[in-house]
Amino acid sequence: MPFRVALRLVTVRPCRTAGRTRMAPNRTVPVRLSRLRRFRLDRGANPVELAILLPLILLMLIASIQAAVYFLARAVALNAAQVAVTSARTLEGDSAAVAEQKALDFIAATAGWLTPVNGTDPAVVVKDEAAGEVTATVTGKALQLVPGLNLTVRQTARGPIERFVPEE
C-alpha cells in the first residue's frame, strides 16, 4: 500500500492588511491535513500492536535472564573446581575429601546460583591421578527461571600435583 498524503481543498483569497499580504478564503488550493488529524484515523492501533508484541518481548527478556543465570552457574562451578584443585595439588596439600568440602563451601557462599542435580549438594568429585595430576569435577543445575527447563552445568579443572624433586 503506497504512502498517500492526506489533502483537503481550502478556498483562499489574497487580502492586504497593514502592509502585509495574507490569504483569505476565495481561491481553492490543496493543503495538507495536520499530522494530528491524519493520525486520528489510526486510533486504537497501538494497544493492539502492544498486545501482540508484549508476550514476545517478555519471552525474550526472560530467556536473556535465564541465559545469564546459566553462564553465572558455569562460572561458579568452574571456580569451585579450581578451588578444589588448588587445595589438593599443593605440596603436602589437602586430601580429596577436604578439597571437595572446600569446593562445597565455595558453592554455598555464592548464594545458590548452582543448585543440586539430585540430593542435597552439587556433586564435587576430586581425583588424585597416578600421573601426578589432580582433577576436580563440579556438577549442578543452574537456577531455574523457566519452569521445566533444567540446565545442567558440569565444569572440570585440572592441575599438576606439586612435588619436591631433588637436584642430581
Side-chain angles (χ1 to χ4, degrees):
M1 174 179 208
F3 179 72
R4 293 179 15 192
V5 176
L7 297 175
R8 72 178 178 152
L9 297 177
V10 176
T11 306
V12 293
R13 67 181 164 84
C15 177
R16 294 196 184 267
T17 307
R20 291 187 298 168
T21 302
R22 67 181 179 94
M23 301 303 275
N26 189 15
R27 187 170 51 114
T28 303
V29 293
V31 177
R32 286 189 182 182
L33 292 178
S34 71
R35 285 186 179 179
L36 292 176
R37 188 163 179 199
R38 209 176 339 155
F39 290 119
R40 261 189 238 151
L41 302 174
D42 292 338
R43 282 182 35 184
N46 287 342
V48 173
E49 292 168 358
L50 185 64
I52 292 170
L53 292 178
L54 188 62
L56 181 63
I57 292 169
L58 289 176
L59 180 67
M60 289 172 48
L61 177 69
I62 291 174
S64 64
I65 293 172
Q66 182 68 59
V69 167
Y70 173 74
F71 285 111
L72 184 61
R74 283 186 61 195
V76 167
L78 182 60
N79 286 333
Q82 288 173 343
V83 164
V85 166
T86 301
S87 103
R89 75 180 207 79
T90 58
L91 186 63
E92 298 179 17
D94 298 330
S95 67
V98 173
E100 289 176 7
Q101 186 57 46
K102 285 186 178 182
L104 288 173
D105 291 342
F106 178 84
I107 293 170
T110 59
W113 289 108
L114 190 65
T115 59
V117 176
N118 295 321
T120 58
D121 288 323
V124 178
V125 178
V126 177
K127 297 180 191 173
D128 291 328
E129 297 180 4
E133 217 176 55
V134 66
T135 303
T137 302
V138 177
T139 306
K141 282 190 334 187
L143 193 63
Q144 186 177 11
L145 293 177
V146 179
L149 182 64
N150 295 322
L151 299 173
T152 302
V153 175
R154 182 184 176 115
Q155 293 291 321
T156 301
R158 281 193 185 111
I161 297 174
E162 293 178 357
R163 58 191 169 149
F164 178 74
V165 179
E167 291 184 32
E168 293 181 16

